[in-house]
Amino acid sequence: MVNDQDTQAHDARDRSINYIEFIISGMWKTKAFYGEVFGWRFTDYGPTYCEFSDGVMTGGFEVGEPTPHGGPLVVLYGYDLPALMTAITK
């Protein structure tokens, strides 16, 4: 059974961006820019991937070749997936 505190915690992030990941060409320059301009913090997971945090949301930078028709990977959070699926397909 879900209590009111659990529901409130889920409602705050329901149907919002939970995580975002960008393909980049250079780790050092990217981290320097976002760290200096926005104050983001980073956790490295090898030479080609790092997680960033802006204090509210986390995401990732991965070194690689951009795809011609791609963009960032965006993960959306949904508390009630069946209801969200219904809204999407409408």
Side-chain angles (χ1 to χ4, degrees), residues 48-60:
T48 62
Y49 190 86
C50 83
E51 179 183 78
F52 65 79
S53 174
D54 67 1
V56 176
M57 185 178 67
T58 60

Side-chain angles (χ1 to χ4, degrees), residues 43-90:
T43 302
D44 293 325
Y45 293 97
T48 62
Y49 190 86
C50 83
E51 179 183 78
F52 65 79
S53 174
D54 67 1
V56 176
M57 185 178 67
T58 60
F61 292 125
E62 183 171 11
V63 176
E65 294 294 321
T67 60
H69 302 290
L73 166 67
V74 179
V75 179
L76 301 169
Y77 181 87
Y79 180 67
D80 183 349
L81 293 182
L84 190 54
M85 184 67 154
T86 299
I88 289 169
T89 55
K90 261 186 177 177

Side-chain angles (χ1 to χ4, degrees), residues 28-52:
W28 182 85
K29 287 182 178 183
T30 300
K31 287 170 59 177
F33 173 78
Y34 285 98
E36 184 177 322
V37 175
F38 297 104
W40 291 4
R41 296 177 313 279
F42 306 96
T43 302
D44 293 325
Y45 293 97
T48 62
Y49 190 86
C50 83
E51 179 183 78
F52 65 79

